[in-house]
Amino acid sequence: MTTPAALAPETLYQACPLEHLSFETTAELSDGHGPFGQARAIEALEFGVEIKQPGHNLFVMGPPGSGRRSFVADVLARVAQSEPAAADWCYVNDFDDAEKPRALRLPAGAGRRLATDVRQFIDDVQAAVSAAFGSEKYRAQRQAIEHEFQEQQAEAFERVQAAARERGIRIMQTPGGMVFAPIVDGEVLGPEEFQKLPAERQRAIEQAVEQVGKLLQESMKDVPDRLRASRERVRELDRQVATFAIERLVSELTKRWRLVSDAAAWLDDLHADLASHYEILRHPHGEHQEMPFQLEADGGEPGESRAHRRYGVNVLVSNDPHLGAPVIDEQRPNYARLLGKIEHRARFGALLTDFSLIRAGALHHANGGYLVMKAERLLSEPFAWSALKECLQTGSVRIVPLDQIYGLVSTVSLEPAPIPLEVKVVLIGTPRLYYLLSELDPEFDDFFKVVAEFDDRTERSAAAAMEFAGVLARVTRENELPPLDRAAVARVVEEASRMVEDRERLSTEIRRAIDIVREACHWARKRKDDTVRREDVERAIELKARRKARLRERVHEAILRDTMVIATSGTRVGQINGLSVMTIGDQPFGRPSRITARVSLGGGEIVDIERESELGGSLHSKGVMILAGYINARFAGELPAAFAATLAFEQSYGGIDGDSASSTELYCLLSALAEVPIRQSLAVTGSVNQFGEVQAIGGVNHKIEGFFDICAERGLSGEQGVLIPRANVKHLMLRPRVIEACAAGRFHIYPVDHVDQGLELLTGMAAGTADSAGVFPADTVNRRVADRLRAFAELRLKFARLSEGSAS
Amino acid sequence: MSDTDQPPVPTPRRLVLTLCGHRLPRTLGALLRTLGSDGAPELHAMFIEDSDLLKAASLPFAVEFCAATSARRPIDRARIEAHLRREAAEAERGLAELARASGIRWRFEVVRERSRAVVTHALTLTDAVVVTPREESTAPATGGITCIAGDDAAGTRARAVAGALATAEHLPLAQWRLLDATTAGPMAEPVVTAAAVPALLRRPGAQLTVLPATLVERLDASMHDLAESSPAPLVIVR
């Protein structure tokens, strides 16, 4: 097997060729349309918006920062503009059941007109009724009725009084009624005078009093009936006066709205209701105006008349007929903001409500159009998700206050009539959320049948680079930033590749690229240049990394000060430099780790110290088990595995997982078995399979750079370098300093396909390939390994025999 | 009669108000303003504990008859006296508030006497007495000012007061000419005899009725209690 040569500098970084960018600066470019590199998502989104079928709501999934939300907004705005405006919705009083307000559907823009018309109507009708009841004619008619009754009363009483006078009795008023006093010589008779009268005279007086009492009783017995009849006549008069006053105004109003069915039907009911509630028109603020507190005690706004409260129109949703279908982007989709709510007014300690306090939710506003929400926010709000599903399932929005759902409040509240719902919901979320919902909520797929998936990367090509440049052009224009020249764009494109650690791909997470552009613009302006150059982008990237480098520097400092021991020169048996990536926030960095292996006579077990100390994850353990598989299959042959090995990440105090160090551990173990020293100037990354083939790992750029930084600080010797899986070569997008060092031969990156290649690089000794008999050539690493294993096996056999002898 | 011929409205230094309950006449404020062109007159309130009523309540066979329910029950003088005390206290409070708001001078006394005698006595003290009805109607008074007066000097002054009140309060004025020996010629106003006055007073609807003292003296002796004679307050002008 040939030992691989170090990679040439041009393979370590894929620059963006300037000839791919056919412009001088982004100022020449038209704005890029749509999100970058999301052709499939765009197609799905457009389909999802166009299809008008039940359950065909959209879930737009993709990584944050990929432009999902702004693109959804653009598409919906464009589509909605060409669609008819949605209906207006109003809540009004249901005169038969005030607890169940009635919903009126009106053409777009008509809601406010109806509210204004009705308000004006109430003002007019109040004035008309008030004038009618204040007229001389009415007063006279009413007075006549009342006088008739009072005169009947007075006459009846006068007759009794006359009879009383004839009998020498005076009728006097008391606080509770009347009392009869005998009169003698014009004076009321007192008890003493009465006692002095002869018994016969006393009896006569008592009889007279009794008679007058009876007469009065007789006279009064018809009073209630007469009073009732009089009141009924007054009421009938009032009805006639009120009806006459309002008839023309009602007729005008109903005529104006006769073509709008919901409004016409309600106005008919209003007309009928007015006939029996004209009193509230006559006394707009109640009859007891001297008691101001009572005016507001029924829950209305101060100064608002009772008629306005009873007959007002609550415009829940008002749409402009010229603006197309509504598109609502609900940023805080909690239960109340989604479904609407019923507000209350506090009046003297009581909470009062009526139909005028019903408030629309996002679903009401989006009805007939589109509702956009972030899935994560929706799901984090209690009851919001289930409420949304219920609305989509029933095709209507029903406002039920949360306290009623909880059952915490048992007071009577409103039950507004449900409003028919026709809305397309667009949820925006991460793929993880989508798959979780799909997995855990059996109804989810019924309601969200269309998925528009935003990818986190796209293929890197000349066309993609131009598309990317178009997006940057739009961003700079929208934010009034200076344009980028094509070298600067090329650098941003290259950084987009580095973001996804793939020089053949570009990150679609455009937000991070935009952040770099904004900062580069800052540096360009500081240079007093009206164009952003490549150096500005470089500077922005470098400074951004430096700003967040505190932890990386702390770790590297510990290595450079030998607190954490990492050798970058010399050789040692059973010791190797592994590489790992630490991610803090959005700034990953590579960190070398010392891995050691020790072997001894044993039963074939490889002890993963990380696993034993519960610091290693399951993937790491899997990698270690693969090592055992490789060693046993390649070297043990028919011999029993008679060694024991321990593997450890030295000075590692946190958890370790992943199998990217499995090839490193294998090299270390083979070194220990073969007792062949490993060059400490090299570091290794890569996973390995049971055949010894080295496989790709993640974070290759950061791992290389992490070891490079340590070596560079200590001084590059020309011996140092990193072994990486060959499959990772296409992912290389290294920093310029690393490339420069490689070009100068002071640092090396070796692509490895098989552990044998790695062994040769690490030990400087041939790995050795077994012949047909399974025997490795002499003076090779593998031969030494095989010999050592055989020696362990024989030793173990010897011990076994000795044990058997002593036992027998 | 032209405006220039209008007799002057009397401006007494004191207005006596007789009360049988706590309720003050609705028109009292207007009356004080009308009679007080030179400054509001002092208000002298007399709360009447009707001695005739207390006597009648002490009779062994006395019962109270409730007009609304036609029920009878034994009458209790102590209860009536307690009620009168409460009413008097409340009337005094009401007057105090009115005085505080309008800045008038006032005094208040409780007299246990026959109602008619109190009014007669009051007329010796001042030129204008207001008799508050024992039970002022709670129904809205849709009428205006009623004046029943003859052609004597007191009658002329009564008409002046009624006219001024009606003008000031924008109320209709109903004037009745009292027929007596001096009345002659065709009348522009409806006429009424002294005998028919009690029935006229009992007619409902008026907010205030103005009478000359000379008419009160001629009223039938059966009108023992002027406070019971009319549902509207009476203003008696001397």
Side-chain angles (χ1 to χ4, degrees):
Chain A
M1 192 167 282
T2 318
T3 305
L7 289 170
E10 58 272 20
T11 59
L12 304 180
Y13 189 84
Q14 179 69 59
C16 176
L18 292 183
E19 56 270 24
H20 286 179
L21 304 171
S22 53
F23 57 89
E24 286 305 316
T25 73
T26 53
E28 301 162 23
L29 300 176
S30 55
D31 289 352
H33 292 298
F36 170 63
Q38 306 291 359
R40 183 174 46 203
I42 293 168
E43 189 184 321
L45 186 61
E46 286 177 345
F47 164 76
V49 170
E50 281 168 16
I51 187 167
K52 307 291 182 195
Q53 291 296 327
H56 279 69
N57 297 296
L58 274 151
F59 194 103
V60 178
M61 67 167 169
S66 54
R68 300 165 304 176
R69 196 159 195 159
S70 57
F71 180 62
V72 166
D74 288 349
V75 169
L76 293 182
R78 179 164 42 82
V79 173
Q81 205 169 19
S82 61
E83 291 182 345
D88 281 4
W89 286 96
C90 302
Y91 269 114
V92 291
N93 196 0
D94 186 321
F95 305 116
D96 294 330
D97 190 349
E99 287 165 16
K100 294 182 177 169
R102 184 165 160 178
L104 304 184
R105 182 192 176 111
L106 306 169
R112 291 219 167 98
R113 283 206 312 277
L114 178 65
T116 306
D117 279 5
V118 170
R119 172 163 282 277
Q120 186 61 51
F121 165 75
I122 297 298
D123 287 345
D124 293 347
V125 89
Q126 274 180 176
V129 167
S130 181
F133 281 103
S135 68
E136 273 305 320
K137 188 178 170 190
Y138 167 76
R139 285 157 69 111
Q141 286 175 313
R142 179 168 179 154
Q143 214 169 357
I145 296 169
E146 287 170 348
H147 283 190
E148 194 177 315
F149 167 73
Q150 286 163 343
E151 282 181 4
Q152 283 171 353
Q153 288 290 97
E155 281 170 19
F157 189 64
E158 182 56 35
R159 280 196 297 275
V160 176
Q161 277 207 318
R165 276 196 297 273
E166 278 173 19
R167 290 166 175 79
I169 303 295
R170 181 180 157 198
I171 301 174
M172 301 176 76
Q173 287 176 6
T174 65
M178 279 172 275
V179 66
F180 309 115
I183 305 289
V184 176
D185 299 331
E187 295 289 333
V188 171
L189 200 63
E192 294 84 12
E193 294 94 334
F194 180 77
Q195 294 300 339
K196 288 175 190 166
L197 293 174
E200 198 174 325
R201 177 76 174 123
Q202 287 181 1
R203 266 198 308 278
I205 288 173
E206 284 180 30
Q207 278 171 1
V209 166
E210 183 63 27
Q211 284 167 359
V212 172
K214 281 183 180 165
L215 281 172
L216 189 61
Q217 209 166 5
E218 187 67 23
S219 150
M220 294 293 150
K221 76 176 182 191
D222 295 336
V223 171
D225 288 343
R226 283 203 297 268
L227 184 61
R228 232 186 335 267
S230 173
R231 284 180 180 162
E232 185 47 47
R233 285 177 64 195
V234 170
R235 270 197 291 273
E236 183 52 33
L237 171 68
D238 288 355
R239 261 196 296 274
Q240 285 173 7
V241 170
T243 304
F244 183 75
I246 65 179
E247 204 59 35
R248 183 181 58 80
L249 294 165
V250 169
S251 163
E252 280 174 11
L253 183 67
T254 50
K255 193 173 166 188
R256 204 173 307 141
W257 289 93
R258 71 183 187 282
L259 296 178
V260 182
S261 57
D262 274 18
W266 179 69
L267 289 173
D268 285 346
D269 291 350
L270 180 148
H271 186 181
D273 189 73
L274 275 174
S276 53
H277 290 84
Y278 56 84
E279 279 297 321
I280 64 172
L281 299 170
R282 189 176 167 193
H283 305 291
H285 297 287
E287 287 183 84
H288 306 287
Q289 294 195 25
E290 71 277 14
M291 299 170 74
F293 294 136
Q294 287 197 351
L295 299 181
E296 300 154 23
D298 55 357
E301 286 289 349
E304 193 181 36
S305 77
R306 293 191 296 164
H308 282 116
R309 292 200 287 280
R310 185 172 180 84
Y311 301 116
V313 175
N314 174 10
V315 183
L316 194 73
V317 178
S318 174
N319 287 303
D320 188 323
H322 308 297
L323 288 185
V327 179
I328 303 299
D329 188 345
E330 180 52 62
Q331 303 277 345
R332 288 190 293 131
N334 61 32
Y335 181 87
R337 288 180 65 89
L338 197 58
L339 265 76
K341 60 186 172 181
I342 300 169
E343 293 181 340
H344 292 75
R345 282 196 194 96
R347 288 286 181 271
F348 312 114
L351 291 176
L352 304 170
T353 189
D354 61 28
F355 69 92
S356 69
L357 295 174
I358 301 171
R359 302 288 178 248
L363 282 166
H364 295 103
H365 288 297
N367 200 1
Y370 304 90
L371 175 59
V372 184
M373 292 176 287
K374 277 196 170 172
E376 191 179 350
R377 290 192 183 163
L378 177 71
L379 290 165
S380 64
E381 294 289 349
F383 294 98
W385 175 244
S386 55
L388 174 68
K389 284 195 301 180
E390 188 184 323
C391 291
L392 293 175
Q393 189 161 27
T394 59
S396 63
V397 198
R398 197 163 61 93
I399 301 176
V400 184
L402 264 184
D403 48 15
Q404 281 187 20
I405 291 180
Y406 276 117
L408 294 176
V409 178
S410 57
T411 49
V412 175
S413 187
L414 296 183
E415 283 182 43
I419 287 180
L421 179 68
E422 199 178 321
V423 68
K424 191 171 284 289
V425 178
V426 182
L427 288 184
I428 298 174
T430 59
R432 183 167 180 267
L433 208 50
Y434 174 81
Y435 292 119
L436 273 174
L437 281 169
S438 193
E439 175 85 17
L440 300 175
D441 187 343
E443 294 171 334
F444 175 68
D445 291 332
D446 294 338
F447 296 126
F448 292 89
K449 293 181 190 291
V450 184
V451 182
E453 188 169 6
F454 278 61
D455 206 345
D456 68 341
R457 61 194 64 198
T458 186
E459 197 168 341
R460 182 173 165 183
S461 63
M466 279 302 288
E467 188 186 348
F468 196 89
V471 173
L472 298 185
R474 186 186 66 201
V475 170
T476 50
R477 255 193 290 277
E478 281 174 358
N479 294 279
E480 296 180 348
L481 299 171
L484 285 74
D485 71 7
R486 59 179 176 168
V489 173
R491 182 64 187 91
V492 182
V493 169
E494 289 158 13
E495 189 62 17
S497 271
R498 186 175 152 88
M499 284 175 198
V500 287
E501 294 202 323
D502 193 334
R503 66 190 190 199
E504 295 169 1
R505 297 285 182 272
L506 288 173
S507 168
T508 57
E509 199 180 332
I510 206 72
R511 189 169 61 189
R512 287 176 66 188
I514 291 169
D515 286 346
I516 292 170
V517 169
R518 285 180 199 277
E519 291 177 22
C521 290
H522 169 77
W523 296 118
R525 280 179 172 152
K526 208 141 187 181
R527 287 190 302 104
K528 303 197 186 314
D529 196 341
D530 56 4
T531 304
V532 179
R533 313 285 177 190
R534 186 179 178 97
E535 65 189 88
D536 301 315
V537 179
E538 291 281 12
R539 192 170 184 190
I541 293 167
E542 189 185 329
L543 292 179
K544 188 182 179 77
R546 188 190 297 175
R547 285 197 300 272
K548 296 188 175 180
R550 188 188 65 83
L551 199 64
R552 179 180 66 86
E553 285 173 1
R554 192 62 53 84
V555 171
H556 286 190
E557 183 185 276
I559 293 170
L560 294 170
R561 295 174 70 194
D562 293 330
T563 308
M564 287 176 67
V565 185
I566 299 290
T568 51
S569 60
T571 60
R572 188 160 186 186
V573 173
Q575 176 178 302
I576 195 167
N577 292 322
L579 295 168
S580 59
V581 173
M582 295 181 78
T583 303
I584 308 292
D586 63 345
Q587 287 292 316
F589 63 91
R591 172 198 146 174
S593 300
R594 172 175 285 181
I595 299 170
T596 57
R598 301 302 297 269
V599 292
S600 61
L601 186 63
E605 66 274 17
I606 298 175
V607 176
D608 174 9
I609 290 178
E610 306 305 320
R611 178 71 177 175
E612 293 301 312
S613 57
E614 296 183 352
L615 288 171
S618 54
L619 289 176
H620 182 257
S621 297
K622 180 188 169 192
V624 173
M625 285 180 228
I626 287 172
L627 306 191
Y630 171 77
I631 290 171
N632 289 336
R634 190 157 193 202
F635 300 108
E638 293 174 358
L639 289 172
F643 76 102
T646 53
L647 281 167
F649 273 68
E650 303 292 350
Q651 292 185 292
S652 164
Y653 308 105
I656 287 174
D657 203 3
D659 65 348
S660 70
S662 59
S663 71
T664 319
E665 289 165 321
L666 181 56
Y667 294 133
C668 191
L669 186 55
L670 292 174
S671 160
L673 283 167
E675 295 182 303
V676 174
I678 286 175
R679 289 164 62 191
Q680 300 298 302
S681 56
L682 295 174
V684 181
T685 184
S687 72
V688 69
N689 65 19
Q690 293 194 91
F691 295 103
E693 292 158 348
V694 178
Q695 303 164 145
I697 44 77
V700 66
N701 292 300
H702 295 293
K703 286 175 176 173
I704 293 170
E705 287 164 5
F707 189 64
F708 173 84
D709 287 343
I710 299 296
C711 296
E713 284 291 329
R714 286 179 174 168
L716 293 171
S717 62
E719 294 294 318
Q720 290 139 336
V722 177
L723 277 63
I724 63 167
R726 186 176 294 279
N728 279 118
V729 173
K730 60 180 173 292
H731 299 141
L732 292 176
M733 286 297 287
L734 290 164
R735 289 204 314 255
R737 276 188 71 200
V738 183
I739 298 167
E740 285 161 16
C742 290
R746 289 185 287 123
F747 196 76
H748 311 280
I749 295 162
Y750 300 101
V752 174
D753 292 304
H754 195 275
V755 287
D756 284 352
Q757 293 173 329
L759 276 176
E760 289 177 2
L761 285 165
L762 289 164
T763 61
M765 180 183 276
T769 306
D771 61 16
S772 57
V775 179
F776 291 99
D779 295 327
T780 61
V781 179
N782 286 336
R783 175 63 177 268
R784 284 187 171 217
V785 172
D787 289 349
R788 185 83 187 277
L789 290 174
R790 180 176 295 277
F792 277 133
E794 286 168 0
L795 196 58
R796 186 171 175 189
L797 197 60
K798 189 176 157 190
F799 278 122
R801 283 181 188 142
L802 280 173
S803 303
E804 281 172 12
S806 60
S808 63
Chain B
M1 192 181 280
S2 70
D3 287 348
T4 52
D5 297 332
Q6 285 283 358
V9 177
T11 53
R13 288 171 48 215
R14 183 193 296 171
L15 180 68
V16 174
L17 172 69
T18 68
L19 294 159
C20 299
H22 73 272
R23 195 178 294 223
L24 303 177
R26 281 194 290 253
T27 45
L28 183 60
L31 191 62
L32 285 165
R33 284 191 296 276
T34 304
L35 299 178
S37 60
D38 297 335
E42 180 195 39
L43 185 61
H44 181 177
M46 294 177 164
F47 187 88
I48 303 169
E49 291 181 352
D50 191 347
S51 56
D52 280 352
L53 176 63
L54 295 172
K55 266 206 275 187
S58 306
L59 288 167
F61 53 84
V63 290
E64 194 170 26
F65 182 88
C66 176
T69 61
S70 301
R72 295 178 189 208
R73 63 172 175 178
I75 197 160
D76 178 356
R77 181 178 166 140
R79 181 169 58 80
I80 290 178
E81 286 189 295
H83 173 79
L84 290 172
R85 280 196 296 276
R86 279 197 303 277
E87 288 286 297
E90 198 163 335
E92 189 173 11
R93 271 197 299 277
L95 278 166
E97 275 177 31
L98 176 74
R100 203 168 29 250
S102 57
I104 57 165
R105 288 172 297 119
W106 69 291
R107 64 192 172 107
F108 181 83
E109 65 176 318
V110 178
V111 290
R112 180 167 292 190
E113 184 53 88
R114 296 177 64 198
S115 171
R116 178 77 176 261
V118 175
V119 174
T120 308
H121 170 68
L123 281 168
T124 66
L125 302 175
T126 182
D127 290 339
V129 174
V130 180
V131 180
T132 308
R134 197 176 289 280
E135 282 194 4
E136 190 175 6
S137 172
T138 52
T142 49
I145 309 289
T146 299
C147 178
I148 308 167
D151 290 333
D152 59 351
T156 306
R157 283 194 290 274
R159 269 199 290 277
V161 169
L165 264 175
T167 305
E169 297 301 306
H170 306 289
L171 290 171
L173 173 63
Q175 298 212 69
W176 294 81
R177 178 67 57 122
L178 186 66
L179 276 178
D180 58 24
T182 61
T183 311
M187 299 292 138
E189 303 150 347
V191 292
V192 63
T193 61
V197 167
L200 187 57
L201 290 178
R202 273 195 290 276
R203 286 176 65 171
Q207 297 209 24
L208 191 78
T209 300
V210 186
L211 305 172
T214 46
L215 170 58
V216 174
E217 288 158 11
R218 290 171 58 193
L219 284 178
D220 190 281
S222 65
M223 292 191 66
H224 307 279
D225 187 354
L226 285 169
E228 283 183 4
S229 65
S230 163
L234 300 176
V235 180
I236 303 168
V237 179
R238 198 169 63 175

